[in-house]
Amino acid sequence: MITVNLYRIGNVLPGPVRRFVSVAFIAAGAVLPAQATDGHQLIGIGALQQGTGGAGVASPKDSTWVLLNPAGIVDLDRRFDFSFEYFRPNRFMEPHGFLLPNEAAGRMGDDGAFPIPAMGLIFPHGQGAFGVGLFAVNGMGVDYAHSRTVIPRILGQNFDRRTQYGVMKLSLAYAHKFDNGWSLGVAANLDYERFKTDMLTLGFWKTSGSNDWEDGLGGGLTLGVYKNWDRWSFGAAYTTPQWVQTLGKYKDLLPGPLDLPQTVQAGIAFKATPDVELLLDYKYINWEGVAQIARSCARGGFGWKDQHVVKAGVTWTVNPKWTLRGGLSYGKSPISDEVVFANALFPAITELSATAGVSYAITENSDIHFTYEHAFGNTMTDSGKGDLFSMVGKGTKIHLDENCFTVQYSYKF
């Protein structure tokens, strides 16, 4: 059992960290499935990252930087952060095409919502800092009333209509600031993945997983660099591929593991005034480096392309009590119009997101933060110019837009 393995891992951690991890897994395990926007990744973790559109690799603000850029945690106080996000995606599917699509289903919608937790701790130590965090970071999910394809109807059944996927990261980080002002950081990531679906396989039959949950463990590293000057700062982070166990129940559908792609995020921050900071980040997501995601649909993949994402944000400290944030994130969908039908149950197609956030200092040591994010709707139609699945699914439409509200509490001690 996954829970037993994680418990044994937790026993070797220091007491406060072990207690933190135990509570975090209990809180997060039941709500792992989510929806996301940088492909199937969230644009940012927690209210402060999301408030600036996920930009800020060069401007550390809270314990979620353990994951965004571990080098930046050297500039943080000893602190605890807990955030809770209410994520409400709106998606629809309208099957069209020749023979295989279930045109009788018409337009089917799904507006089911998901809660997404995140929490972390920072411990400064000399010229460095330790950090630990648990974050729900990736996800995708649909649950339509009727099947995407006509085969279940012919068999008098109703499968090929549901997918749930989520990834949670436990990250342990250390950063060190050198005498020249540059900081280097590294985070070791333990990934916990959950997946279930009733998709049709290449054998034109319901997957043997039969919409039962399957779990997998994996891991990788995040490496970061950070430097703060008077008004400028620079940050960059590289996350290695996160290698995850093959999902055994779904080998007939997914011949390879659903690894997480390597990513690079680099950016600058500029203090236009003592109270106003401007942020600009670039993020590269190497979906084509994940065989299961990138291989053609005719070979059991999804046909995704790499993403190049630009994020911009602004933070305005109005006074010692109030801080305002805003941000934009744009990245072209990794799904092209030649693989729409094949991705109808995995519709990661939003491209532009806008965010707004506010923070209030309750006391000298505690703050509360709120953020609203809207991912603007994107509708795609299969061109029929791809492989066999595109040809038979020509005209199939999928749509996705998203709204989410995040509340976060921070305590410095």
Side-chain angles (χ1 to χ4, degrees), residues 303-363:
W304 285 25
K305 303 299 183 183
D306 290 346
Q307 275 188 296
H308 303 272
V309 186
V310 177
K311 300 172 180 288
V314 58
T315 299
W316 176 26
T317 305
V318 180
N319 56 47
K321 285 287 188 181
W322 292 94
T323 301
L324 302 178
R325 296 176 186 83
L328 293 171
S329 178
Y330 176 78
K332 186 175 176 59
S333 166
I335 297 170
S336 72
D337 61 6
E338 296 180 352
V339 292
V340 167
F341 178 72
N343 282 273
L345 302 184
F346 224 66
I349 62 172
T350 56
E351 297 183 340
L352 176 63
S353 297
T355 66
V358 59
S359 295
Y360 175 72
I362 303 170
T363 67

Side-chain angles (χ1 to χ4, degrees), residues 44-76:
I45 310 297
L48 300 187
Q49 278 190 38
Q50 288 177 341
T52 54
V57 70
S59 180
K61 292 292 188 289
D62 67 13
S63 60
T64 62
W65 265 254
V66 165
L67 195 60
L68 179 61
N69 183 4
I73 66 175
V74 295
D75 278 357
L76 298 177

Side-chain angles (χ1 to χ4, degrees), residues 24-34 84-85 114-117 136 166 168 194 213:
F25 268 105
I26 292 170
V31 295
L32 186 58
F84 190 84
E85 178 178 344
F114 306 97
I116 305 174
M168 189 164 58
R194 300 194 80 198
W213 282 114

Side-chain angles (χ1 to χ4, degrees), residues 263-286:
T263 64
V264 176
Q265 187 162 337
I268 57 173
F270 173 64
K271 288 190 176 295
T273 74
D275 300 322
V276 176
E277 183 179 50
L278 306 177
L279 308 169
L280 182 63
D281 284 17
Y282 162 76
K283 182 178 181 181
Y284 168 68
I285 309 175
N286 181 215

